[in-house]
Amino acid sequence: MAQEVSSNKSFGGVQKVYSHESKVLGCSMKFAVYTPPGDGPFPVLWFLSGLTCTEANCVQKGSFQQSAAAQGIVVICPDTSPRGIDIEGDNDSWDFGTGAGFYVNATEEKWKPYRMYEYVTEELPSVCAALLGDKANMAKQSITGHSMGGHGALICAMKNPSKYQSVSAFSPICAPMNCPWGQKAFSGYLGEDKSTWEAYDASKLAEKYSGPKLKVLIDQGSVDDFLIKGQLLPEQFVAAALKNDQLEVEYRLQEGYDHSYFFISSFMKDHIEFHAKFF
Ligand SMILES: N[C@@H](CCC(=O)N[C@@H](CS)C(=O)NCC(=O)O)C(=O)O
């Protein structure tokens, strides 16, 4: 069972952080849960963070609590990789290993504990269902995220038709097979056979998605350095999605915004209200 680490009243609801022993990852993990005021059951929005983040970044800088309180939505923020399992090299770079799990299930022997896909789509939802009881309606879930977490949100939604009511993303890594971050992560976690990478590439999944019509909102800052350096490639996802009638994508290029949480917090209300429409 999860243990409470901290609890702070926020906009009439409560922002908590918990820790628990993850069986899937084989380590102790923290996650954050915001519950709005009232009795529930409330729908659940997942927020997946980006490279170098923990469960804390969005809680402290994402500015979601006021809108989540107003709309009556539980918001859950997981961590971004296993912690403290000590694989040689896991702290050598900021874009691979610790803080950079990329929401895949690693198949390379050395990185086998890196199963963040299973963790965020299966284990943590079960833990939260048990923890939150009548407060949360786990039949109504949606997912969002930033950068690496935007990639995570898009792939989780497309790989699990009907599990999430809608999906959104802030500056997502849209075509990891074709960018340096994704190529480094996928070759490390999944190995050199690129055919196995396609199962975790949002632009490839957008070509094949055939579930119920999925609503997608993407916001991207126009002066985001990582956009300019070709790490995000939203045009590849948008082009693939345009050819697929089952994907309804709204892509917004936001003038003058960068990659930071200043950008995320500026549009968080829009994203919460977007998801609220489909619960
Ligand atoms: N190397 C830089 C860049 C990494 C970066 O921009 N990470 C984004 C996600 S890809 C982030 O959310 N950083 C944490 C923050 O801004 O709070 C760092 O260590 O922060």
Side-chain angles (χ1 to χ4, degrees), residues 6-18 31-38 41-47 55 58-60 63-78 128 131-132 135-138 268 272:
S6 64
S7 176
N8 298 90
K9 189 165 182 181
S10 175
F11 293 98
V14 189
Q15 179 65 64
K16 296 198 183 209
V17 175
Y18 294 94
F31 61 96
V33 180
Y34 178 75
T35 43
F42 302 108
V44 173
L45 176 65
W46 295 86
F47 183 95
E55 79 296 336
C58 190
V59 167
Q60 293 167 2
S63 300
F64 62 80
Q65 289 89 352
Q66 187 167 16
S67 305
Q71 298 295 333
I73 297 175
V74 164
V75 180
I76 307 179
C77 305
C128 290
L131 178 71
L132 297 171
K135 279 260 175 199
N137 179 358
M138 301 304 282
M268 182 59 87
I272 302 256

Side-chain angles (χ1 to χ4, degrees), residues 10 23 43 51 67 160 180 196 198 243:
S10 175
K23 291 193 183 71
L51 292 165
S67 305
N160 295 279
T196 67
E198 295 189 2
K243 294 192 196 127

Side-chain angles (χ1 to χ4, degrees), residues 56 126 185:
S126 306

Side-chain angles (χ1 to χ4, degrees), residues 49-53 57-58 61 94 146-149 171 173 181 226 259-261 264:
S49 265
L51 292 165
T52 74
C53 291
N57 298 64
C58 190
K61 301 193 287 188
W94 61 270
H146 171 229
S147 196
M148 173 183 76
S171 31
I173 301 171
W181 275 341
F226 297 122
H259 197 71
S260 71
Y261 272 84
I264 299 173

Side-chain angles (χ1 to χ4, degrees), residues 59-203:
V59 167
Q60 293 167 2
K61 301 193 287 188
S63 300
F64 62 80
Q65 289 89 352
Q66 187 167 16
S67 305
Q71 298 295 333
I73 297 175
V74 164
V75 180
I76 307 179
C77 305
D79 202 346
T80 58
S81 75
R83 296 283 165 181
I85 51 174
D86 215 14
I87 297 175
E88 187 249 320
D90 62 0
N91 284 319
D92 287 359
S93 51
W94 61 270
D95 54 4
F96 185 77
T98 307
F102 257 87
Y103 307 101
V104 302
N105 291 336
T107 49
E108 287 297 282
E109 198 52 44
K110 181 177 171 189
W111 297 98
K112 279 267 170 79
Y114 276 61
R115 296 184 66 77
M116 288 304 288
Y117 175 70
E118 183 182 355
Y119 179 69
V120 300
T121 57
E122 290 177 37
E123 186 181 33
L124 198 53
S126 306
V127 168
C128 290
L131 178 71
L132 297 171
D134 290 343
K135 279 260 175 199
N137 179 358
M138 301 304 282
K140 288 192 175 176
Q141 299 182 63
S142 289
I143 192 161
T144 183
H146 171 229
S147 196
M148 173 183 76
H151 138 80
L154 292 171
I155 64 162
C156 287
M158 286 187 286
K159 285 165 78 65
N160 295 279
S162 307
K163 188 177 173 91
Y164 305 98
Q165 253 75 26
S166 49
V167 57
S168 74
F170 302 86
S171 31
I173 301 171
C174 286
M177 291 180 71
N178 296 331
C179 76
W181 275 341
Q183 287 161 349
K184 179 173 176 177
F186 285 6
S187 57
Y189 297 134
L190 305 174
E192 293 305 328
D193 175 4
K194 292 192 177 164
S195 66
T196 67
W197 297 8
E198 295 189 2
Y200 294 108
D201 183 287
S203 297

Side-chain angles (χ1 to χ4, degrees), residues 189-234:
Y189 297 134
L190 305 174
E192 293 305 328
D193 175 4
K194 292 192 177 164
S195 66
T196 67
W197 297 8
E198 295 189 2
Y200 294 108
D201 183 287
S203 297
K204 289 283 176 204
L205 291 168
E207 288 171 14
K208 296 183 194 138
Y209 176 79
S210 62
K213 199 160 222 172
L214 184 63
K215 309 275 199 289
V216 187
L217 171 64
I218 296 179
D219 273 319
Q220 172 62 60
S222 71
V223 301
D224 179 336
D225 266 355
F226 297 122
L227 175 73
I228 293 155
K229 288 182 182 137
Q231 294 282 21
L232 307 176
L233 306 172

